[in-house]
Amino acid sequence: MRFYEYESKQLFAKRGIPLPKGSQVARTAHEAQRIASDIGGAVVLKSQVLSGGRMKAGGVLFADDEEEAESAARLILDLEINGQRPRGVLVESRQPVAQEYYLGITWDGIAKRPVMIFSDMGGIDIEEVAEKYPEHVAKRHFSNLLPFSDHKAKELIAAVGVQGSDLNRLTRIAAPLAHLFQEYGLTLAEINPIARLEDGSFVALDGHVDMEAEVRGEHRALLEELGIGEDETRQARPPTSFELAGKRINDVDHRGVAGNVTEFDGTLGLIIGAGGGSLTLFDAVRNHGGHPANYCEIGGNPSVSKVCELTKLILAKPGVEKIAVMMNVVSNTRVDLVARGVIKGVLESGEDPGERIAIFRIPGSWETDGFKILDKYGVEYCDRAVSMYEAAGRAVAKMQSA
Amino acid sequence: MAIFIRIDVDGALAADAGAARQLCEVCPVDIFSTPDGGALEIVDDNVDECTLCELCLQVGKPGQVSIVKLYDDDAVLQRT
């Protein structure tokens, strides 16, 4: 779940990360004028949208006094960027910058640990810096369980040649950012750029924070403090009617999970899940040249009716030719109950399970009963002797030969 | 309509209010009900949710409740 820049900065302020003077969000041009007046002198006004490319789109403007600030705010508040209306306009002091740095923390899925990245070339795309000037980028992994040590941050920053008081001041930004990352279940905490001002002080000029959606409940107090409502999903795009229908199916029945239903424009419907199985299987289908019609995550032993409703939803999606029902080896979820659900869903859609189910690959708990059900309805299935990757390949091959 | 499972309850047991209440209590997926505290009814919408836990088979005398697996040549589960 992505935070607006002003929310990210409120979070930074909780740990004492220095911000430009002012740094308040205005909802009206008049309010922006008042903030600019309080700051005094030149200000920068930034559109608060959850989208990149603000500068290019005209969503970042500069003003030398409060009157100019009001006019600039008016323009920004009326400006739609990538289909988004601004939540407000952030007004901050504009001061001369001597140098810009990059600092980011994200989750490294391969190392299964957070990784902190620092560069003395900030303000531009960090991937581009890493590619063109790798000697200007340093990375360090750290534990997400043990307390973060300031020494780790210092070592990282020093690795690109920063020394003396700059090193100490930057450490006092990097370490708190790591603490925030750990404390609030963040998946991304980025300051780009950190500016060293001409007076030698440092401020976070821009910030980007993403929180793991699953920890929202745990941090309700913080979200309330930031004014983030429970109904704000902060997804990259609004959910489609297909996705909303999927959510309803999951919400109305507490038994098990049929969640994260996401719409794609392919022809192969997917009922997938189990211990990371959804992502693996989705990728496997694509690697084999298949075109998924959807993504979803089933697990936790969903009820027959929940699987049935999900199956009906996917089959009713225009363009869906077949469905593939695939999971990793299950222990809690029961094979027979999922088999009942999908077959019932196909039958209630007025279709033949043997025709519409490309493959059923769920090995594990109660598979003997599950396979009897599939046998009865002529559905092709396989057990754990067939890998998830191979099962995905079989489903795609069946689509291509149809 | 249930297509995978059938539940058979002996008429005498179904008429026993105490046994009917027990069936309602033990079933984890609400296959049994006694609307308004009256006669036992099978909730058809829930029958295919049967988890084959066999708790209902423990109510009454052996054989008074049966679970039939319609997908397995009508194999019958009964308390013996």
Side-chain angles (χ1 to χ4, degrees):
Chain A
M1 185 192 69
R2 187 169 177 176
F3 286 16
Y4 286 95
E5 180 190 352
Y6 74 94
E7 294 165 344
S8 302
K9 286 182 168 171
Q10 285 174 33
L11 192 62
F12 297 161
K14 286 174 82 69
R15 282 284 185 166
I17 293 173
L19 302 174
K21 195 176 162 193
S23 203
Q24 286 184 55
V25 71
R27 313 286 176 177
T28 64
H30 182 68
E31 205 181 340
Q33 182 188 25
R34 184 192 54 75
I35 297 168
S37 167
D38 289 348
I39 293 169
V43 293
V44 56
L45 298 102
K46 300 160 90 176
S47 174
Q48 294 304 287
V49 287
L50 296 174
S51 169
R54 287 182 302 179
M55 178 71 94
K56 214 174 188 177
V60 179
L61 296 173
F62 303 103
D64 287 329
D65 54 44
E66 59 191 88
E67 278 74 31
E68 272 185 40
E70 187 188 21
S71 309
R74 207 175 296 284
L75 290 173
I76 289 173
L77 288 167
D78 281 340
L79 181 69
E80 196 172 275
I81 298 176
N82 294 330
Q84 292 182 37
R85 302 289 303 174
R87 170 68 65 96
V89 57
L90 183 66
V91 187
E92 295 181 324
S93 162
R94 185 183 181 203
Q95 290 165 280
V97 173
Q99 187 172 355
E100 295 186 333
Y101 301 85
Y102 172 90
L103 175 66
I105 305 172
T106 188
W107 183 260
D108 181 342
I110 294 170
K112 297 185 172 62
R113 306 178 90 193
V115 58
M116 182 182 269
I117 303 161
F118 179 81
S119 173
D120 58 353
M121 295 179 72
I124 51 175
D125 184 23
I126 188 64
E127 280 86 4
E128 193 185 322
V129 177
E131 197 178 309
K132 289 185 182 165
Y133 313 102
E135 69 279 11
H136 285 275
V137 179
K139 289 183 195 176
R140 291 287 186 281
H141 289 90
F142 60 94
S143 168
N144 205 29
L145 301 173
L146 301 172
F148 184 82
S149 155
D150 288 12
H151 175 72
K152 195 80 152 176
K154 195 171 249 184
E155 189 186 60
L156 169 82
I157 295 162
V160 294
V162 178
Q163 297 176 328
S165 68
D166 286 356
L167 177 59
N168 289 333
R169 290 179 181 208
L170 284 164
T171 300
R172 288 199 290 271
I173 294 175
L177 193 69
H179 296 147
L180 288 169
F181 188 90
Q182 291 179 316
E183 186 178 350
Y184 292 113
L186 305 183
T187 53
L188 177 68
E190 186 180 67
I191 306 176
N192 187 24
I194 297 173
R196 177 161 56 81
L197 305 178
E198 286 183 346
D199 65 3
S201 64
F202 287 79
V203 289
L205 282 192
D206 199 353
H208 181 175
V209 165
D210 279 357
M211 176 186 267
E212 172 61 65
E214 303 295 329
V215 302
R216 284 185 70 144
E218 198 182 322
H219 298 297
R220 205 166 280 143
L222 171 76
L223 298 179
E224 203 170 301
E225 188 184 328
L226 297 177
I228 301 173
E230 284 189 19
D231 54 343
E232 280 192 64
T233 60
R234 300 283 175 93
Q235 297 299 313
R237 58 166 172 75
T240 65
S241 56
F242 175 81
E243 291 164 352
L244 289 170
K247 186 174 183 322
R248 273 195 298 275
I249 289 168
N250 195 38
D251 289 350
V252 297
D253 186 344
H254 69 278
R255 296 169 292 183
V257 176
N260 282 335
V261 176
T262 309
E263 184 167 10
F264 290 88
D265 57 3
T267 51
L268 179 61
L270 297 179
I271 295 180
I272 48 180
S278 288
L279 290 171
T280 307
L281 286 159
F282 188 90
D283 286 348
V285 167
R286 286 175 52 85
N287 279 352
H288 283 292
H291 302 288
N294 69 286
Y295 171 84
C296 72
E297 294 166 358
I298 66 164
N301 202 26
S303 65
V304 173
S305 58
K306 188 176 250 187
V307 176
C308 171
E309 292 305 316
L310 179 64
T311 304
K312 286 183 343 194
L313 174 73
I314 294 170
L315 281 176
K317 186 177 180 297
V320 172
E321 293 168 13
K322 291 182 188 292
I323 56 169
V325 186
M326 303 181 288
M327 294 178 82
N328 204 341
V329 180
V330 294
S331 54
N332 177 26
T333 295
R334 281 179 45 169
V335 180
D336 60 332
L337 300 185
V338 177
R340 287 187 214 171
V342 288
I343 286 175
K344 207 163 186 175
V346 177
L347 292 172
E348 289 185 8
S349 302
E351 307 277 355
D352 175 1
E355 283 294 316
R356 293 285 259 171
I357 301 174
I359 191 99
F360 185 104
R361 192 269 184 200
I362 308 182
S365 171
W366 289 76
E367 66 179 22
T368 307
D369 277 61
F371 295 161
K372 281 177 183 168
I373 293 168
L374 297 164
D375 270 330
K376 178 169 178 178
Y377 289 92
V379 175
E380 182 182 335
Y381 63 89
C382 47
D383 61 14
R384 70 194 71 191
V386 175
S387 71
M388 291 195 289
Y389 189 78
E390 195 181 335
R394 287 190 192 183
V396 173
K398 209 174 233 187
M399 294 290 287
Q400 288 165 348
S401 66
Chain B
M1 183 188 156
I3 56 172
F4 301 105
I5 300 290
R6 193 180 76 230
I7 308 286
D8 295 332
V9 181
D10 177 85
L13 189 73
D16 178 340
R21 199 172 54 248
Q22 271 191 304
L23 285 169
C24 294
E25 281 171 8
V26 299
C27 181
V29 291
D30 299 330
I31 289 173
F32 307 100
S33 79
T34 52
D36 305 322
L40 182 75
E41 279 188 11
I42 306 274
V43 182
D44 193 52
D45 282 350
N46 292 345
V47 172
D48 276 339
E49 299 285 352
C50 175
T51 61
L52 307 174
C53 67
E54 302 188 11
L55 289 171
C56 56
L57 304 187
Q58 310 306 314
V59 178
K61 293 177 192 161
Q64 284 191 299
V65 181
S66 311
I67 302 169
V68 183
K69 293 183 182 180
L70 302 174
Y71 57 86
D72 188 13
D73 296 328
D74 290 357
V76 177
L77 300 177
Q78 274 185 342
R79 187 167 124 228
T80 52

